[in-house]
Amino acid sequence: MAPLNPYTYIQCPCSDSASLGRPSDATSPTSADGDEEDNAFDPRAPRANFSLYPLEYLLYCEDCHQIRCPRCITEEIATYFCPSCLFEVPSSNLKSEGNRCTRSCFQCPICIGPLSVTSIEAPPSDPSLLAPDRAGTPHTTYSLICSYCSWSSTEICIQFDKPNSIHAQLAKIRNGGASRLTAKERKERRKELSHRGGEAALAASSEAAAGQDTDLETQFANLKLFYNSQLADPNAGDNGFSSLGDLGFSSPSSLSRIMNLYTGGKLHDPRAKSKLGAMREAITADEGLLETDLDESSLITQLHQSDFLDTASNTQICSQPPNLGETHLYGAARFNSSLRPVPYLLRTKRSKRCPVCRHIISKPEAKVQTTRFRIRLVAGSYIPSITIRRLNLPGPNGPAAPAILGDLLEPLKPVHFVLTFKNPIFESLKVTLGAPAKTPGRFPSKVTVLCPQFDIDANTDVWDEALKENDRESSGRSRRRAGTESQFQVEVGKIWERGRNWVSIIVEVVPASLKLEPGRDVLKQDEDVLEIPMFVRIEWEAEGGGDDAASGTGRDKDQKEKKELAYWCVLGLGRIKQG
């Protein structure tokens, strides 16, 4: 059984609507014992897995005075950038170029390691054909090489003429070295053919396109152009509704056409008797038609002639962008020879807002190279942190052995824990704690908070603490100098120790017995972990808002304003020994 270190989780009220609408007297630690046990937060409930967070994960809204977790905040993208070259990408380029880096940043298709550009010097086939001033100068080509698995783009017969603009060069090359038309070249070629020979030239280009492999990007571009031309045709309609064929309600552009009928006064025109043309589908490869080839005999033959390591894994296939994959059934690559270098996915820097008041609670720096934040309202700077340590009191036979972190708790034996609350703000806090008499679950343990109400001093300067050293010694801080913890006695209603901006109290716990009937009951996962739900209410006085004073409501800036914050937290104390 793995040891368990003490931990503290804080509940965000956004995931539990019942806790938001719960009356204050039910959650008050001064309520009746029966109501307190019924309304206590259950850390073993299924919804608790989505509402408990460490203090470091939480943010805080200064306007709403509420805790905010990663699930309830609203995120806004501030910057797009490449994680490899740290180049900032404008948001206007995402629609045209996608959410991948368009520079020379690629990942290995085998091991997703970074690829580097390396030169390959090839000797000329005929040195006598070179010019005299370039005699002996070989032609230099470049390739992408992975330094981790030694994969190279030369394995798929892809080489580059220049060391830069690798993304643009790769878009023009297929696996095997064959050329490939880009979207811009494809558009210019289609315009040139349409001006040259009309339908005959387009039919010839369709036959040529059908003879060669058409990738997904080419097919999508052809379909988009074809349907755009159909939508732009004013005579395009749908004769699916025979009685309403003159109006063409089923046409994709029917809305604008109906509006023109009403505004132009042609709805009751008896002369508008001509039947609108039907909108047709793509029938050629140049229009975007891709016939499904279910014959996989060539792939089966290649599989028989290849090794198992030559086939692409599911992870490698999924990492391939659709517009870069080689053309097989639905564009999926089957072998390593069909894989291509993968451009890096863009990352984002995001600002976070409160979902209620829409104020910014976290905003990073716009510069990609820095990790600093302009605004960062972490919850650890507004609510006290809670640390837990075990306390061993002396027994009748002498001093107790020191507690070891992760020790198992003895059933039905009282154990004392020291809870230390540290104040991070510059105002003094009044803390009120409430915990159920028994923990929820099949094996309830008894819990007693010896000091449920106490005050914590403000987080002042360290030099102020040095000036008040004599007062601290008289108020209980001299306990550490007097000896070990075994010389003290636990008292009800009194704090255990006090510091500059922290207070320690004692919680007494009697762990439950985990006896099970043999063959019937089974101990569930982490059911032996002792978790205590504790309700924390914090009250402090802060300076009055300057906005109210400026608006003329009569509130003085120097007047103190009482504020409070209440939340549930879960204290994990350790594991209970079985048997």
Side-chain angles (χ1 to χ4, degrees):
M1 182 181 300
L4 181 68
N5 298 332
Y7 58 86
T8 303
Y9 291 156
I10 297 177
Q11 185 220 14
C12 180
C14 69
S15 59
D16 190 2
S17 59
S19 65
L20 293 178
R22 186 179 299 159
S24 58
D25 56 351
T27 56
S28 175
T30 60
S31 59
D33 295 340
D35 295 340
E36 183 181 358
E37 292 181 1
D38 295 340
N39 295 302
F41 175 72
D42 188 5
R44 302 187 184 279
R47 293 182 63 88
N49 296 328
F50 306 96
S51 61
L52 295 176
Y53 297 90
L55 182 60
E56 296 79 10
Y57 284 57
L58 299 175
L59 299 174
Y60 185 82
C61 179
E62 291 182 334
D63 297 311
C64 301
H65 301 290
Q66 286 293 335
I67 300 172
R68 300 303 177 195
C69 67
R71 296 181 70 247
C72 64
I73 58 177
T74 304
E75 294 186 347
E76 296 179 357
I77 297 178
T79 307
Y80 294 91
F81 67 95
C82 173
S84 179
C85 61
L86 298 181
F87 182 77
E88 183 177 353
V89 180
S91 58
S92 58
N93 295 355
L94 296 178
K95 291 185 178 180
S96 59
E97 299 176 356
N99 60 338
R100 295 185 180 269
C101 182
T102 57
R103 305 182 79 191
S104 301
C105 306
F106 288 89
Q107 289 178 291
C108 177
I110 305 299
C111 66
I112 70 171
L115 297 178
S116 58
V117 182
T118 307
S119 61
I120 301 175
E121 295 185 357
S125 57
D126 191 358
S128 61
L129 299 178
L130 294 175
D133 55 344
R134 298 185 57 188
T137 302
H139 177 64
T140 303
T141 56
Y142 301 89
S143 65
L144 295 173
I145 295 180
C146 177
S147 59
Y148 183 77
C149 65
S150 301
W151 181 87
S152 176
S153 61
T154 55
E155 298 180 8
I156 54 177
C157 301
I158 291 181
Q159 297 181 3
F160 309 98
D161 298 332
K162 299 182 296 182
N164 50 6
S165 302
I166 299 297
H167 189 276
Q169 298 182 64
L170 185 63
K172 301 179 181 179
I173 307 175
R174 297 179 181 269
N175 286 15
S179 61
R180 177 185 179 186
L181 294 178
T182 61
K184 184 177 180 181
E185 295 174 350
R186 194 180 304 111
K187 186 176 181 180
E188 293 178 354
R189 181 182 178 184
R190 186 178 290 106
K191 288 183 179 180
E192 187 176 327
L193 290 174
S194 61
H195 289 307
R196 188 195 312 171
E199 297 181 359
L202 289 176
S205 64
S206 300
E207 296 177 359
Q212 62 180 357
D213 291 338
T214 303
D215 53 8
L216 296 180
E217 184 180 4
T218 304
Q219 181 197 9
F220 178 77
N222 294 340
L223 279 174
K224 183 178 180 181
L225 182 63
F226 170 72
Y227 283 117
N228 284 338
S229 62
Q230 292 284 305
L231 294 176
D233 188 4
N235 295 325
D238 188 1
N239 55 1
F241 297 93
S242 58
S243 60
L244 302 177
D246 294 338
L247 298 180
F249 284 112
S250 300
S251 176
S253 57
S254 60
L255 181 59
S256 59
R257 188 157 49 250
I258 292 173
M259 295 300 296
N260 291 334
L261 288 175
Y262 277 100
T263 56
K266 298 181 180 180
L267 182 61
H268 303 286
D269 190 0
R271 295 175 296 178
K273 298 294 184 179
S274 59
K275 189 89 170 175
L276 297 178
M279 185 175 180
R280 65 181 182 86
E281 298 292 340
I283 57 177
T284 60
D286 192 68
E287 294 177 350
L289 177 64
L290 180 61
E291 298 180 0
T292 303
D293 186 11
L294 300 179
D295 185 12
E296 298 186 350
S297 57
S298 59
L299 295 176
I300 296 176
T301 303
Q302 185 178 359
L303 183 62
H304 289 167
Q305 299 175 356
S306 304
D307 192 7
F308 175 75
L309 298 178
D310 296 335
T311 59
S313 63
N314 189 29
T315 304
Q316 296 171 352
I317 295 175
C318 294
S319 63
Q320 290 285 308
N323 57 341
L324 294 181
E326 286 300 292
T327 304
H328 294 302
L329 185 61
Y330 304 114
R334 306 295 181 86
F335 299 91
N336 292 340
S337 58
S338 301
L339 301 178
R340 295 170 64 86
V342 181
Y344 269 91
L345 276 172
L346 299 180
R347 304 298 192 269
T348 58
K349 280 189 172 184
R350 305 186 181 188
S351 59
K352 302 176 182 179
R353 292 181 179 270
C354 175
V356 179
C357 63
R358 302 295 298 172
H359 279 77
I360 297 177
I361 56 180
S362 177
K363 185 176 182 180
E365 287 282 353
K367 188 179 296 184
V368 177
Q369 289 78 7
T370 181
T371 57
R372 294 178 297 180
F373 286 83
R374 290 185 179 180
I375 303 174
R376 182 72 170 173
L377 305 181
V378 294
S381 301
Y382 296 89
I383 63 177
S385 60
I386 306 175
T387 56
I388 308 171
R389 61 185 178 92
R390 189 171 175 178
L391 176 65
N392 279 4
L393 295 177
N397 299 329
I404 301 176
L405 197 64
D407 283 350
L408 298 179
L409 304 178
E410 293 289 342
L412 305 178
K413 182 178 179 181
V415 186
H416 295 85
F417 289 89
V418 180
L419 304 184
T420 302
F421 293 79
K422 189 174 182 181
N423 182 14
I425 63 178
F426 295 99
E427 287 84 14
S428 59
L429 298 178
K430 181 181 178 181
V431 182
T432 304
L433 304 178
K438 293 183 179 180
T439 59
R442 288 199 304 168
F443 307 99
S445 301
K446 297 182 180 180
V447 181
T448 303
V449 181
L450 300 185
C451 186
Q453 293 184 357
F454 53 90
D455 296 335
I456 309 178
D457 295 337
N459 185 16
T460 57
D461 194 1
V462 181
W463 297 109
D464 296 340
E465 170 67 17
L467 297 176
K468 299 178 182 178
E469 185 67 27
N470 296 331
D471 298 337
R472 297 300 186 190
E473 291 180 2
S474 61
S475 63
R477 192 165 177 175
S478 58
R479 291 183 175 181
R480 287 191 170 184
R481 299 185 179 89
T484 61
E485 295 173 345
S486 61
Q487 300 178 2
F488 307 128
Q489 295 295 330
V490 176
E491 300 181 6
V492 179
K494 293 186 179 181
I495 64 174
W496 177 253
E497 200 170 5
R498 180 184 293 274
R500 174 173 58 92
N501 63 328
W502 55 270
V503 169
S504 297
I505 64 171
I506 301 298
V507 174
E508 185 181 43
V509 180
V510 181
S513 177
L514 302 180
K515 291 184 179 180
L516 301 173
E517 296 183 7
R520 293 185 179 182
D521 295 340
V522 179
L523 195 65
K524 299 179 182 179
Q525 183 179 6
D526 292 338
E527 200 172 12
D528 57 342
V529 178
L530 178 55
E531 292 183 335
I532 301 176
M534 181 172 291
F535 185 78
V536 182
R537 182 188 296 275
I538 307 171
E539 299 178 2
W540 73 97
E541 292 184 355
E543 296 181 357
D547 296 340
D548 297 337
S551 59
T553 56
R555 179 177 295 178
D556 190 5
K557 291 184 179 180
D558 298 334
Q559 184 180 1
K560 293 292 185 178
E561 181 182 358
K562 186 177 180 180
K563 299 180 180 179
E564 66 176 17
L565 174 65
Y567 57 91
W568 282 94
C569 66
V570 176
L571 308 179
L573 304 182
R575 294 185 181 273
I576 304 175
K577 182 182 295 185
Q578 302 181 19

